[in-house]
Amino acid sequence: MSVTTDTLTKPALVRIDGVHKYYGQHHVLRGIDMTVRQGEVSVLIGPSGSGKSTLLRCVNMLETINAGRIHVNDELVGYRERGGRLHDMNAKQIAAQRREIGMVFQRFNLFPHRTVLQNIIEAPTQVKRQSKAAAKTRAMELLERVGLVHRANHYPAQLSGGQQQRVAIARALAMDPELMLFDEPTSALDPELVGEVLNVMKELAASGMTMIVVTHEIAFAREVGDTLTFMDGGVVVESGDPREIIANPQHDRTKEFLARVL
Amino acid sequence: MSLIAPARSTADTDGSGRGKPQMIQAVPVRHPGRWACAVVILAFAAMLAQSLVTNENFRWDVVGTYFMDVLVIQGIGWTLLLTVLSMVIAITLAILLAFMRESENPLFRSVSWVWVWFFRGTPVYTQLVFWGLIAVLYPKISLGVPFGPELFAFDTQDIVTAFVAAVLGLGLNESAYLAEIFRAGLKSVDNGQMEAAEALGMRKSRIMWRIILPQAMRIIVPPTGNETIGMLKTTSLVLAVPFTLDLTFATNGIANRSYLPIPLLIVAALWYLVITSILMVGQYYVERHFGKGVDNFVRIPVDKATAVKPAAVKVVTAGDSNESGVKEMEEKP
Ligand SMILES: Nc1ncnc2c1ncn2[C@@H]1O[C@H](COP(=O)(O)OP(=O)(O)O)[C@@H](O)[C@H]1O
Ligand SMILES: [Mg+2]
């Protein structure tokens, strides 16, 4: 599974430099540096409240950062640099940037009033102005990929959690993103449904997708991850090869955390 | 195991567990109180029915004479027209006001707030009188540059007729109430919906229209049905404008001429009941439409595009027969 050696030579797709984020007085991200190369699976772990979700949400501008820079594909995220000053992006520019980044949420967030197929073609038809027929064809390919072709005309409420999350992945992929963000995609699932979602993610990783995955599934991190980053209290405590970190954590906080989740 | 399923083990003659389980046939709880209540209620209903038939002051013959009277039927037409037009204006404005109130633009937010504050804060009767007097207040309506040249102008009387004044008065007042109902509906939709759509690169206005509003409609429709039925009866206030063709005015007019107020009140009441019942049927279908996928998702839409996809067939058979088969399939990519 390991593609570490190839990806190390690939160019960086995501560059996070010295990022700080405050919620009011609450200093949530305290200088995060992180690089994700093209095709890399970067796994983010850490205790609850350490800022993992916040970091992911900053990457696709669901939150704004207060200091530092985030680049995706060498493009500054959320701002335009003009005359040596940063200008806020307008809604149109932000939406355009988000199209390159897919996101999968802990609670799926499928559109309940739309069927599986309608969920998947919504953004391609509405945002990318694809024809309905083309979008449907593509949607069916994606559904085949996640093993849910036979559920195309079902409503989300008719699906199990695992199936819903697989649809959510297909929906994000329908926009042909360069980067996929996963925020604890299996945390809301019954244990027996976790595997089917991780399998889809594993296959996606094997197909060369660049992914940042927040998860508590250490086995997934070890098997699929190219890098593992451990966050605590809004800082990166440790980062490197997943197998090495899991087998031999350097910091006490990492040791403590791994002892609890393993 | 035998402790968990005693019913089955007693029914199994061969102990293989394959026999039909012994079905529970419990004696239902008796409700003597319900029967007693039913008797009392039926007695009262019978008394009421008897009085309706025997009390001659009801003058059912007059009710019958005027029930389909031309003036009454025309009145119904005007009442319906007032109701529908004012609700259309109110709903359109309410969607706009609710979106504005939830917008990031502080100017929109304040305009929406002031609108609701004003139109909800003054009596609808006063507003109707005011719209009736608008021609006195502004004899001419003209469009032009402030303090500059006039582009074109109308006589207010020609534009704001009594009917227009009635519709505007009712619609604008109602928009304030509906705006709050719509806002509550929008707020009821989970934040994750907005985020998921934003993450897909959709713009806010489109998200509101295609993702948030359809889901909010589940919450919005029942109170809006309420408001529509309320509006049906509020139209009787258009006398304040004065607009004098609606159902209540028509029946009142006949009552005054014939000195028979009670039967004509009954005519009006019966017609309002009929229309309300029809509106309730309509509401049922609207609710069913917006409950798709949430309240009533058994009906699965048939979609030709998916049925004919050849690639689909392979997986359908594998997946349909056995859900865990899907999982196995994915494990060997
Ligand atoms: N919208 C918000 N407003 C205020 N505080 C928030 C908000 N979102 C998250 N936080 C706080 O930021 C910290 C980090 O949260 P989060 O990124 O969700 O952590 P994690 O995903 O690692 O569990 C937590 O202390 C949380 O309470
Ligand atoms: Mg989180």
Side-chain angles (χ1 to χ4, degrees):
Chain A
M1 191 72 224
S2 174
V3 278
T4 315
T5 42
D6 320 336
T7 42
L8 274 180
T9 59
K10 289 255 175 76
L13 184 67
V14 184
R15 278 187 288 130
I16 299 172
D17 302 304
V19 163
H20 289 257
K21 168 75 188 170
Y22 293 81
Y23 285 116
Q25 294 297 306
H26 189 21
H27 198 171
V28 178
L29 298 180
R30 299 160 172 262
I32 303 280
D33 296 306
M34 196 172 149
T35 302
V36 184
R37 293 173 187 284
Q38 239 148 40
E40 179 180 337
V41 177
S42 176
V43 178
L44 205 53
I45 60 170
S48 175
S50 56
K52 307 179 299 291
S53 299
T54 306
L55 183 61
L56 276 198
R57 294 162 60 80
C58 288
V59 172
N60 77 345
M61 292 151 286
L62 288 176
E63 305 288 351
T64 52
I65 58 178
N66 301 109
R69 297 281 189 278
I70 299 177
H71 288 85
V72 174
N73 219 355
D74 287 326
E75 242 189 82
L76 186 58
V77 163
Y79 301 96
R80 284 277 139 104
E81 210 152 11
R82 239 185 295 132
R85 280 206 62 180
L86 289 187
H87 296 257
D88 283 333
M89 275 189 171
N90 63 31
K92 195 174 167 185
Q93 293 163 334
I94 290 177
Q97 232 173 23
R98 282 185 178 134
R99 278 163 222 166
E100 308 298 319
I101 306 170
M103 184 153 185
V104 175
F105 300 85
Q106 184 174 347
R107 290 186 304 121
F108 330 135
N109 295 346
L110 291 179
F111 308 135
H113 60 305
R114 297 283 171 80
T115 62
V116 164
L117 191 65
Q118 289 168 340
N119 262 277
I120 299 175
I121 65 170
E122 175 69 22
T125 53
Q126 290 296 314
V127 177
K128 281 196 164 173
R129 296 267 162 221
Q130 282 179 13
S131 76
K132 242 188 174 155
K136 276 184 180 174
T137 308
R138 172 90 174 109
M140 293 312 287
E141 283 166 20
L142 289 165
L143 280 176
E144 193 176 359
R145 205 160 148 190
V146 300
L148 284 171
V149 168
H150 59 301
R151 293 286 182 261
N153 291 328
H154 288 220
Y155 284 103
Q158 295 172 295
L159 306 183
S160 73
Q163 292 175 329
Q164 289 191 48
Q165 194 62 295
R166 281 144 68 196
V167 173
I169 294 172
R171 179 175 70 175
L173 290 176
M175 289 297 281
D176 292 316
E178 292 181 77
L179 170 70
M180 286 282 286
L181 309 174
F182 293 83
D183 192 0
E184 302 199 32
T186 58
S187 295
L189 297 177
D190 290 338
E192 81 268 21
L193 302 177
V194 168
E196 63 189 65
V197 172
L198 291 182
N199 278 331
V200 167
M201 291 168 62
K202 200 155 103 181
E203 201 232 312
L204 189 60
S207 77
M209 177 61 75
T210 314
M211 297 159 57
I212 306 180
V213 183
V214 174
T215 187
H216 293 300
E217 300 289 335
I218 301 300
F220 177 86
R222 183 166 35 208
E223 202 185 329
V224 184
D226 297 308
T227 46
L228 180 68
T229 303
F230 173 71
M231 274 179 72
D232 193 12
V235 295
V236 172
V237 176
E238 195 165 345
S239 180
D241 182 70
R243 286 148 290 269
E244 275 168 34
I245 291 181
I246 293 165
N248 187 18
Q250 298 299 304
H251 292 257
D252 288 345
R253 282 193 283 176
T254 320
K255 274 179 208 162
E256 268 172 50
F257 176 77
L258 285 173
R260 266 184 285 132
V261 295
L262 271 174
Chain B
M1 191 61 211
S2 61
L3 271 178
I4 297 167
R8 166 176 281 197
S9 59
T10 51
D12 284 349
T13 42
D14 57 357
S16 68
R18 247 180 278 120
K20 197 174 183 239
Q22 189 185 338
M23 298 300 185
I24 293 172
Q25 274 162 2
V27 178
V29 175
R30 306 273 179 223
H31 297 285
R34 279 187 200 169
W35 287 101
C37 277
V39 169
V40 174
I41 289 168
L42 278 176
F44 272 110
M47 278 157 66
L48 186 66
Q50 192 209 15
S51 82
L52 283 176
V53 176
T54 55
N55 187 339
E56 293 190 343
N57 294 333
F58 278 115
R59 295 297 304 271
W60 291 103
D61 55 322
V62 180
V63 172
T65 312
Y66 286 107
F67 195 68
M68 301 296 277
D69 189 275
V70 173
L71 286 175
V72 172
I73 299 295
Q74 282 175 347
I76 292 166
W78 283 110
T79 291
L80 281 177
L81 197 62
L82 283 170
T83 307
V84 169
L85 287 182
S86 53
M87 282 311 282
V88 166
I89 289 179
I91 289 171
T92 311
L93 284 172
I95 293 174
L96 198 68
L97 289 165
F99 282 4
M100 283 167 74
R101 191 70 193 280
E102 296 297 298
S103 130
E104 278 146 26
N105 184 334
L107 190 66
F108 284 172
R109 283 204 303 272
S110 347
V111 168
S112 173
W113 188 91
V114 169
W115 181 285
V116 171
W117 169 77
F118 180 79
F119 282 100
R120 203 173 54 169
T122 51
V124 64
Y125 191 87
T126 312
Q127 287 174 36
L128 285 167
V129 175
F130 177 86
W131 283 107
L133 293 174
I134 194 90
V136 178
L137 208 55
Y138 297 102
K140 272 182 129 193
I141 299 174
S142 61
L143 205 67
V145 185
F147 308 108
E150 202 173 78
L151 296 179
F152 47 86
F154 306 98
D155 279 338
T156 306
Q157 267 178 340
D158 299 339
I159 302 284
V160 188
T161 60
F163 180 72
V164 172
V167 168
L168 281 177
L170 294 172
L172 265 48
N173 177 262
E174 185 59 34
S175 73
Y177 289 92
L178 280 184
E180 287 296 281
I181 290 174
F182 275 65
R183 193 163 70 90
L186 297 180
K187 277 192 177 300
S188 76
V189 179
D190 184 69
N191 274 338
Q193 294 291 309
M194 176 63 87
E195 286 189 347
E198 281 187 313
L200 287 166
M202 290 175 74
R203 297 279 298 279
K204 185 126 190 245
S205 51
R206 200 169 290 247
I207 299 172
M208 289 302 258
W209 188 250
R210 292 188 55 90
I211 306 296
I212 309 294
L213 186 60
Q215 293 182 56
M217 288 306 279
R218 275 183 68 242
I219 309 295
I220 290 170
V221 170
T224 300
N226 228 3
E227 291 292 312
T228 309
I229 289 166
M231 176 62 85
L232 176 71
K233 289 166 290 179
T234 308
T235 54
S236 60
L237 292 182
V238 291
L239 171 65
V241 171
F243 180 81
T244 55
L245 293 166
D246 72 296
L247 178 58
T248 294
F249 196 88
T251 52
N252 280 351
I254 299 169
N256 291 342
R257 271 176 270 129
S258 59
Y259 301 104
L260 289 166
I262 289 172
L264 280 140
L265 284 175
I266 293 174
V267 168
L270 284 176
W271 272 117
Y272 282 119
L273 261 179
V274 168
I275 300 170
T276 301
S277 311
I278 295 170
L279 289 175
M280 283 166 75
V281 174
Q283 181 179 337
Y284 167 81
Y285 285 102
V286 175
E287 267 181 45
R288 205 174 71 169
H289 173 76
F290 287 110
K292 255 190 324 197
V294 182
D295 300 322
N296 54 333
F297 47 75
V298 202
R299 257 180 294 275
I300 292 162
V302 182
D303 195 335
K304 291 181 212 99
T306 59
V308 293
K309 272 289 290 174
V313 184
K314 192 175 66 206
V315 187
V316 168
T317 45
D320 254 348
S321 56
N322 169 8
E323 255 304 299
S324 60
V326 173
K327 197 173 162 185
E328 282 161 20
M329 243 174 43
E330 290 160 3
E331 264 158 9
K332 41 175 168 63

